[in-house]
Amino acid sequence: MIKMKNLTLGYKKEKILKDLDLEIEDGEFIGIIGPSGAGKSTLLMSIVGSIKVFDGKFKVLGYDLEDIKKKDLIKLREQIGFVFQGYCLVDRLSVLDNVISGMLKDIPMPRAVIKYYKDKELKKAQEVIDVVDIAKHTTKRCDELSGGQRQRVAIARALISKPKIILADEPVSALDVKSAQKVMDIFRKVNKSFGVTIIINLHHLEYAKEYCDRIIGVNNGTVVFDGRSSELTDKLIEKIYATPKN
Ligand SMILES: Nc1ncnc2c1ncn2[C@@H]1O[C@H](COP(=O)(O)OP(=O)(O)O)[C@@H](O)[C@H]1O
Ligand SMILES: [Mg+2]
């Protein structure tokens, strides 16, 4: 579903990620770890075609990202959900409205503005609201929720458009341990019960070890580890988090 071959990615003239050789299969649960500035966010954003390809081959869901047309880019992005650290919900809107905003492309603008939703749209929303276990807060405004609850709303919003892949950039970094675990439990459920491929950038190594089936360690723009968490030795962890020598 994702294939990178000798891939170099970056911004304008600056190459950030070099010589990537990665294959990601349907249904995987992957954690990307590494020090700040390593290139984790760049790697994640590249999957939705937001990062410049300098060299190599890059295929996502059947599309070649080296020279993708705008029309195809839109189609690709429709199949991928995104969850950020900073939530990106609309504070003054209810949980329900925020979740439904994830499928606005299917709802005509006038109806969206007056918040007139059809029964089948409400049913879809209710389903994903149940998945993230936030049903008792459906009518609350998002600014009344805790950080963990907001992040679960963000997952529901990503989920409602039935994505093949969900990308999450440090979704639990700002949360306390209990809330973070609950959010990670939901990512696991979305992966195991619905088969959605999940790729998460994680600040905490512990969560990557506990939840992810496969870990990709990035340091200074290169992949220095790619394997199962059980294969992560202290030495490898040191290598992943090492300060690059210039
Ligand atoms: N929009 C941008 N334009 C230019 N360089 C950027 C941009 N965003 C990030 N970078 C650079 O790319 C490198 C990797 O950043 P990033 O992917 O954000 O790392 P991480 O998520 O691992 O902290 C850093 O050197 C950073 O300065
Ligand atoms: Mg980042």
Side-chain angles (χ1 to χ4, degrees):
M1 110 174 326
I2 298 173
K3 197 168 180 172
M4 305 176 181
K5 188 95 194 120
N6 296 325
L7 185 65
T8 298
L9 299 166
Y11 303 93
K12 295 201 181 94
K13 286 185 183 143
E14 199 183 356
K15 296 174 180 173
I16 301 289
L17 289 151
K18 289 153 227 134
D19 255 338
L20 299 172
D21 272 304
L22 288 172
E23 274 189 53
I24 294 172
E25 304 293 338
D26 196 5
E28 286 200 89
F29 190 161
I30 297 180
I32 299 174
I33 59 170
S36 185
K40 302 183 297 298
S41 297
T42 306
L43 183 56
L44 216 58
M45 294 303 296
S46 76
I47 295 168
V48 284
S50 300
I51 303 294
K52 182 173 170 184
V53 174
F54 283 88
D55 207 3
K57 294 238 165 276
F58 193 1
K59 214 173 181 107
V60 180
L61 297 175
Y63 296 100
D64 287 316
L65 294 198
E66 305 97 83
D67 53 355
I68 189 167
K69 296 195 177 62
K70 220 171 179 169
K71 191 171 89 224
D72 287 336
L73 200 54
I74 293 167
K75 278 196 238 157
L76 170 72
R77 286 175 180 168
E78 280 173 5
Q79 302 176 63
I80 300 179
F82 224 112
V83 178
F84 297 92
Q85 182 186 350
Y87 319 115
C88 293
L89 303 173
V90 183
D91 279 343
R92 63 189 164 73
L93 291 183
S94 70
V95 167
L96 179 70
D97 292 330
N98 268 288
V99 169
I100 286 192
S101 77
M103 56 173 191
L104 277 189
K105 69 171 173 52
D106 303 321
I107 301 178
M109 193 59 174
R111 276 212 289 121
V113 169
I114 60 164
K115 300 194 187 88
Y116 171 72
Y117 310 126
K118 292 185 173 166
D119 282 349
K120 70 166 195 266
E121 289 156 1
L122 288 169
K123 194 165 158 270
K124 267 193 191 171
Q126 206 54 58
E127 277 168 18
V128 291
I129 283 170
D130 286 339
V131 170
V132 303
D133 192 19
I134 200 103
K136 60 176 181 287
H137 303 300
T138 305
T139 57
K140 274 194 188 161
R141 278 169 57 132
C142 275
D143 52 10
E144 293 174 63
L145 304 179
S146 71
Q149 290 167 336
R150 292 167 65 88
Q151 208 52 296
R152 277 147 57 199
V153 175
I155 297 173
R157 186 184 53 184
L159 207 50
I160 199 167
S161 58
K162 296 208 184 312
K164 295 204 171 79
I165 305 173
I166 289 184
L167 307 172
D169 198 357
E170 303 207 12
V172 298
S173 295
L175 306 180
D176 61 84
V177 175
K178 221 171 141 224
S179 310
Q181 278 170 344
K182 174 111 191 172
V183 169
M184 289 305 294
D185 284 337
I186 285 161
F187 277 119
R188 176 183 275 161
K189 179 156 107 184
V190 167
N191 174 251
K192 301 289 176 261
S193 309
F194 302 90
V196 180
T197 304
I198 309 248
I199 308 173
I200 306 192
N201 284 352
L202 287 165
H203 189 68
H204 292 90
L205 176 64
E206 286 67 33
Y207 296 135
K209 277 177 145 176
E210 186 181 343
Y211 287 92
C212 301
D213 301 325
R214 173 179 169 193
I215 294 177
I216 295 173
V218 183
N219 186 304
N220 196 25
T222 52
V223 171
V224 295
F225 175 80
D226 182 4
R228 310 193 78 76
S229 58
S230 55
E231 299 168 46
L232 260 185
T233 58
D234 287 348
K235 212 170 172 134
L236 285 166
I237 292 166
E238 235 172 75
K239 191 177 165 194
I240 294 167
Y241 288 98
T243 316
K245 295 182 201 79
N246 286 314

